[in-house]
Amino acid sequence: MNLTEIYIQEVTRRLPEKNREDIALELRSTIGDMLPDDYNEHDVKEVLEKLGNPAALASGYRDQPMHLIGPRYFDVYLSLLKMIIPIAAVIAVISMIAEYFISFGGEEAVMNAVLNMMGEGIWRIIEVGIHVFFWLTVVFVILERTDKGKEQHPLSASLKKWTPEDLKTVIYIPKKKAITKLEVFGYLMWTAIWATFYFYANHLLGIYEDGGEGLKFVMPALNQDVLLHYWPIVIVVIALEIGLALYKLLKGQWTKKVAIFNTIVELFATVVFIVIVSNPNLINQESITYMSDLFTTSAKQFEIWLIGGIIIIFVVSAAISIFDGFRKARIR
């Protein structure tokens, strides 16, 4: 275990991207100068002990001060903020989508409904972010101001004084192997989007025409009854994708187990998708006739081309995801 590299990672990950390489080189040089020629792990620990908590050292490289929440709690506060906001935002958006379609009566134009839902979703994300930021900040401000009688050394994630031993619990994660919270957030959002289109396809997917006052929904493209016939297995796919997202968040990097879990989810979802789209009654024949006339081809030929193209895109996308997962898992 290279404690020096882990220590440098713990310092630089708290700094702006543009400064990380230079500061990493500086730290390697400084630590190298402080170590004896024939050093051992004990010598490394002594040097790192002198340098101190990575969070405190990183704060020394920053230009902006941390006055409201000082160095003692700032790193723990920031870590919790980055972890809680994406999760809370996804939960808020999913609940908003569910509430909207439960109360959707069909009177409102579908395009207007979609635009209103998008606007409401953005506002919900902002609102949840503000609430999480406010209340978490209040909690840490109170902690900061009720802890004056104690030593003011920065705390580690375990809320204890940092020591070099803490580095042994930190896993070194190369940048190309890491799974960011933004990636997890995007994955959960994609699950929420496609699940919404699945359960409300007869309101969202179809033929639109210019009605003079905006686009007007003319006819659905898919048979909703056929789609809902598969709802139990689709719920399993949704549960697997949410489980994969949470597992990614927990691990924070691509590992062999994460790649295998990702492969299982992608293969299972692909098989389910192919079974559904292969149902001959899925696509509304009126919409197929309408679209085939636009492309001046036969309805049967257009249907084969459409289904085949969609399946190829989905299979290729799943294959890329699986390959990319194992490629990242092999990075050292």
Side-chain angles (χ1 to χ4, degrees):
M1 179 185 298
N2 193 330
L3 294 182
T4 299
E5 288 301 317
I6 295 176
Y7 182 89
I8 292 172
Q9 173 190 267
E10 285 298 284
V11 174
T12 55
R13 74 179 180 85
R14 296 174 169 89
L15 300 173
E17 184 77 28
K18 62 181 180 179
N19 299 332
R20 290 179 182 177
E21 288 298 327
D22 292 338
I23 292 173
L25 289 172
E26 180 182 332
L27 284 173
R28 286 192 188 95
S29 177
T30 300
I31 293 171
D33 292 339
M34 295 173 70
L35 287 170
D37 293 334
D38 188 19
Y39 65 87
N40 53 35
E41 183 175 308
H42 178 71
D43 296 323
V44 173
K45 287 182 179 179
E46 283 189 345
V47 170
L48 299 182
E49 183 77 41
K50 292 177 182 177
L51 290 175
N53 191 320
L57 187 58
S59 69
Y61 284 104
R62 288 178 176 272
D63 294 327
Q64 69 270 28
M66 299 178 290
H67 294 306
L68 185 62
I69 300 174
R72 178 169 170 78
Y73 288 104
F74 186 79
D75 192 59
V76 179
Y77 162 76
L78 202 60
S79 298
L80 287 174
L81 203 61
K82 290 179 179 179
M83 179 179 68
I84 296 173
I85 285 181
I87 297 174
V90 170
I91 293 173
V93 170
I94 292 175
S95 64
M96 181 273 299
I97 292 173
E99 290 171 9
Y100 196 90
F101 280 104
I102 288 173
S103 61
F104 184 71
E107 300 86 2
E108 187 179 8
V110 176
M111 185 55 66
N112 291 336
V114 172
L115 293 175
N116 290 338
M117 189 169 61
M118 290 175 62
E120 178 69 17
I122 293 172
W123 172 246
R124 284 283 184 97
I125 291 174
I126 295 173
E127 186 179 28
V128 165
I130 291 172
H131 277 286
V132 172
F133 174 77
F134 175 78
W135 289 111
L136 195 63
T137 302
V138 168
V139 169
F140 276 87
V141 166
I142 294 172
L143 284 174
E144 180 78 23
R145 280 146 183 79
T146 55
D147 199 22
K148 287 295 185 181
K150 300 178 181 178
E151 296 179 26
Q152 293 304 301
H153 54 74
L155 298 177
S156 63
S158 61
L159 297 179
K160 296 178 181 178
K161 181 180 178 180
W162 182 88
T163 67
E165 291 295 325
D166 290 334
L167 295 175
K168 292 186 175 181
T169 64
V170 177
I171 301 173
Y172 178 70
I173 303 176
K175 184 177 179 180
K176 294 182 179 180
K177 191 186 180 85
I179 300 175
T180 64
K181 293 180 178 65
L182 183 61
E183 180 182 342
V184 174
F185 175 78
Y187 189 79
L188 286 171
M189 283 299 297
W190 167 243
T191 300
I193 290 169
W194 76 253
T196 300
F197 276 94
Y198 173 83
F199 286 103
Y200 297 96
N202 58 328
H203 294 298
L204 300 174
L205 298 177
I207 307 299
Y208 291 83
E209 289 183 347
D210 188 355
E213 297 180 355
L215 293 177
K216 181 181 178 182
F217 189 76
V218 178
M219 69 181 76
L222 304 176
N223 188 329
Q224 189 69 53
D225 291 335
V226 174
L227 280 176
L228 294 180
H229 178 73
Y230 299 97
W231 76 264
I233 199 71
V234 170
I235 292 294
V236 174
V237 174
I238 293 172
L240 285 173
E241 290 194 353
I242 293 174
L244 176 60
L246 296 177
Y247 191 53
K248 285 181 177 179
L249 184 65
L250 178 66
K251 288 295 184 180
Q253 65 172 323
W254 283 95
T255 63
K256 186 176 180 180
K257 289 183 178 180
V258 174
I260 291 173
F261 192 179
N262 179 65
T263 299
I264 293 171
V265 174
E266 291 288 354
L267 291 177
F268 185 74
T270 300
V271 171
V272 171
F273 175 80
I274 292 175
V275 169
I276 293 174
V277 299
S278 299
N279 190 311
N281 300 317
L282 175 64
I283 301 179
N284 184 356
Q285 291 304 311
E286 291 183 9
S287 65
I288 287 292
T289 303
Y290 182 93
M291 293 301 295
S292 63
D293 290 342
L294 292 179
F295 287 92
T296 62
T297 183
S298 67
K300 190 65 178 176
Q301 185 178 8
F302 179 80
E303 184 176 4
I304 293 173
W305 173 82
L306 179 64
I307 294 175
I310 292 174
I311 290 177
I312 289 173
I313 292 173
F314 200 90
V315 170
V316 169
S317 176
I320 291 173
S321 176
I322 292 171
F323 172 79
D324 195 50
F326 280 104
R327 179 184 64 81
K328 290 180 178 178
R330 288 195 296 267
I331 295 175
R332 298 295 180 185

